[in-house]
Amino acid sequence: MLRFLTAGESHGKCLTAILEGLPSGIILSEEDIDRELQRRQQGYGRGGRMQIEKDCVEITSGLRHGRTIGSPLCLIIHNRDFENWKEIMSTRATDTTDAAAVSKPRPGHADLPGGIKYRHTDLRNILERASARETAMKVAVGAVAKKLLAGFDIQLNSYVAAIGDASMESHPDLTEAALNRIEASPVRCPDEAAEKRMMAVIDAAKAAGDSLGGIFRIIIRKVPVGIGTHVHWDRRLDANLSRALMGIQAIKGVEFGMGFHAARELGSRVHDEIFYRNGFYHGTNNAGGIEGGISNGEDIVISCAMKPIPTLYSPLRSVDLSTKAPYAAGIERSDICAVPAAAVVGEAMAAWETANALMEKFGGDNINETLCNYRHYLAYVQEV
Ligand SMILES: Cc1cc2nc3c(=O)[nH]c(=O)nc-3n(C[C@H](O)[C@H](O)[C@H](O)COP(=O)(O)O)c2cc1C
């Protein structure tokens, strides 16, 4: 079983992650991870922090001479502007009044419930950790999972299907050209006309001091039939993918295939009929590649809904935690829309969960052992 934990505050010294359960022998470099970190930092509608971030990772254990060695992998991403936050984020006890203390909870954030729960009067103790800055480390962790998936020839991609009410009409084939277009698009959208509409709604929201959310889609191709299981709720592939994706800040819904729409349709229009020609296949893929918690050999198709960014340049009303006086929530800097970046984070989390499910099925302490088990299984599937 694969596990990871992250630590770190938004303006703290660094983000850290420890990844456990990776087989030895996976080829990995800091550059592999940095490439993914750069992808998260793109996107039309991002705020000021992207200019100072330019994230890069340091691997401090679990890797030797370019290959994992089976011990825990430790990743560190240093915060470039920590110098400016050294005093505010100091780990030492201080008796001076903190000028950066926050007593005003922002609507849509963890500030108020977190402050009450942890008995903090300074809400910075909540917002620093609740911040989506942590998604940088999620992307780094996902980059490692992608290196594991590469051995299985599994392809994992994402694109933005909607920002606010600007959406794509149809879903594209992920050809090489479409994938290149997605990577080059400021909103990670394969459709040029939809891209223009998305950028226009972001411009309009910005001008109005407002923010936007949207929908991104993740497609995982070449996952063999039989990953995940129906036997327990916490080993279902769809359940685990959902949990990983819902664990991303601001993600409020996850759908597989036809998703919520299936609830309004007749069964005859929903369920994918089964055919056989040199192997089993389905006539459609409304299930999104998973039946009974098990991959069925079709593409795994997941849509994720992201709520609008909660920090608005046109402030929302709130109440001061200590004085109980009403106020309008002011901001330092914030994204207007971060759906393209969230799609990259979604890819990372989906990669991690897919890798976890593969390791559960194929096991192995060295990647060659894992891949050997995998090839035997593929040979069996071909004969069914
Ligand atoms: C990639 C990414 C970037 C984000 N950037 C911001 C931001 O700049 N400002 C903000 O208020 N919220 C931002 N968020 C969303 C908040 O972190 C999130 O809404 C908040 O922590 C409350 O958590 P919840 O929405 O999961 O309930 C971002 C989320 C993601 C995934």
Side-chain angles (χ1 to χ4, degrees):
M1 184 184 143
L2 301 183
R3 297 188 291 163
F4 80 90
L5 268 186
T6 73
E9 275 76 40
S10 178
H11 298 99
K13 194 173 200 170
C14 59
L15 297 167
T16 311
I18 295 184
L19 288 64
E20 218 255 334
L22 292 166
S24 64
I26 300 172
I27 297 170
L28 178 69
S29 69
E30 290 176 347
E31 292 72 29
D32 291 328
I33 300 176
D34 290 348
R35 262 194 301 280
E36 292 294 320
L37 291 174
Q38 289 303 306
R39 292 177 70 229
R40 188 195 75 97
Q41 298 196 273
Q42 328 265 311
Y44 197 69
R46 303 302 303 278
R49 183 147 194 183
M50 290 311 108
Q51 273 80 59
I52 37 170
E53 262 179 12
K54 296 284 171 279
D55 289 325
C56 47
V57 78
E58 186 186 350
I59 303 176
T60 59
S61 74
L63 189 75
R64 200 156 170 254
H65 303 157
R67 283 180 190 267
T68 56
I69 55 174
S71 54
L73 193 74
C74 182
L75 310 180
I76 296 176
I77 300 172
H78 293 277
N79 276 335
R80 293 281 163 113
D81 66 341
F82 178 61
E83 275 303 304
N84 300 321
W85 290 84
K86 247 175 29 199
E87 295 308 319
I88 294 167
M89 297 305 293
S90 172
T91 52
R92 291 174 189 277
T94 165
D95 50 9
T96 57
T97 319
D98 186 353
V102 178
S103 66
K104 297 173 170 32
R106 301 159 305 159
H109 281 276
D111 304 358
L112 183 61
I116 293 171
K117 177 179 165 68
Y118 288 92
R119 303 186 184 215
H120 289 309
T121 48
D122 181 358
L123 300 177
R124 182 164 296 286
N125 292 327
I126 299 299
L127 67 88
E128 283 287 337
R129 177 65 183 160
S131 159
R133 171 73 188 136
E134 192 253 358
T135 60
M137 190 49 94
K138 285 194 169 102
V139 168
V141 167
V144 177
K146 283 184 179 182
K147 293 296 286 185
L148 192 154
L149 294 183
F152 293 85
D153 200 25
I154 288 174
Q155 291 162 17
L156 202 146
N157 302 101
S158 70
Y159 66 87
V160 172
I163 289 180
D165 63 4
S167 57
M168 285 177 62
E169 303 307 333
S170 58
H171 298 300
D173 279 343
L174 292 184
T175 57
E176 199 64 33
L179 291 174
N180 289 338
R181 172 139 233 303
I182 291 166
E183 293 308 313
S185 164
V187 286
R188 289 195 68 72
C189 180
D191 176 325
E192 211 175 320
E195 172 189 279
K196 286 204 175 76
R197 290 196 299 277
M198 289 175 187
M199 290 168 76
V201 292
I202 293 172
D203 289 342
K206 186 174 184 179
D210 222 313
S211 68
L212 283 168
I215 297 171
F216 63 84
R217 188 159 291 137
I218 296 166
I219 296 98
I220 317 173
R221 293 181 287 177
K222 300 195 183 176
V223 178
V225 60
I227 305 304
T229 173
H230 61 290
V231 304
H232 283 299
W233 64 274
D234 58 349
R235 289 172 59 204
R236 288 179 63 111
L237 183 59
D238 46 4
N240 287 335
L241 282 164
S242 306
R243 188 177 57 131
L245 291 162
M246 285 293 290
I248 300 170
Q249 292 81 340
I251 301 307
K252 295 297 153 195
V254 176
E255 294 182 333
F256 288 82
M258 198 184 242
F260 274 32
H261 185 68
R264 290 189 287 270
E265 282 288 358
L266 290 166
S268 55
R269 292 180 190 231
V270 171
H271 301 297
D272 307 307
E273 292 182 305
I274 299 170
F275 300 94
Y276 187 89
R277 194 193 318 118
N278 303 322
F280 290 97
Y281 70 97
H282 298 82
T284 48
N285 187 18
N286 295 329
I290 302 178
E291 290 171 302
I294 312 172
S295 61
N296 66 7
E298 305 295 341
D299 291 350
I300 295 178
V301 182
I302 316 169
S303 302
C304 297
M306 182 180 191
K307 76 181 189 183
I309 293 289
T311 309
L312 305 187
Y313 283 86
S314 267
L316 293 172
R317 287 176 296 174
S318 182
V319 176
D320 190 287
L321 189 66
S322 45
T323 66
K324 315 294 185 287
Y327 80 100
I331 66 158
E332 294 160 22
R333 64 184 167 217
S334 178
D335 298 333
I336 308 292
C337 171
V339 184
V344 175
V345 183
E347 266 182 38
M349 286 296 88
W352 180 261
E353 263 331 305
T354 307
N356 188 27
L358 287 165
M359 287 307 297
E360 185 177 285
K361 174 140 182 66
F362 299 111
D365 297 303
N366 177 276
I367 189 69
N368 289 333
E369 194 181 346
T370 313
L371 291 174
C372 185
N373 294 341
Y374 175 59
R375 283 185 212 109
H376 273 117
Y377 177 73
L378 285 190
Y380 149 74
V381 169
Q382 265 158 20
E383 282 169 17
V384 176

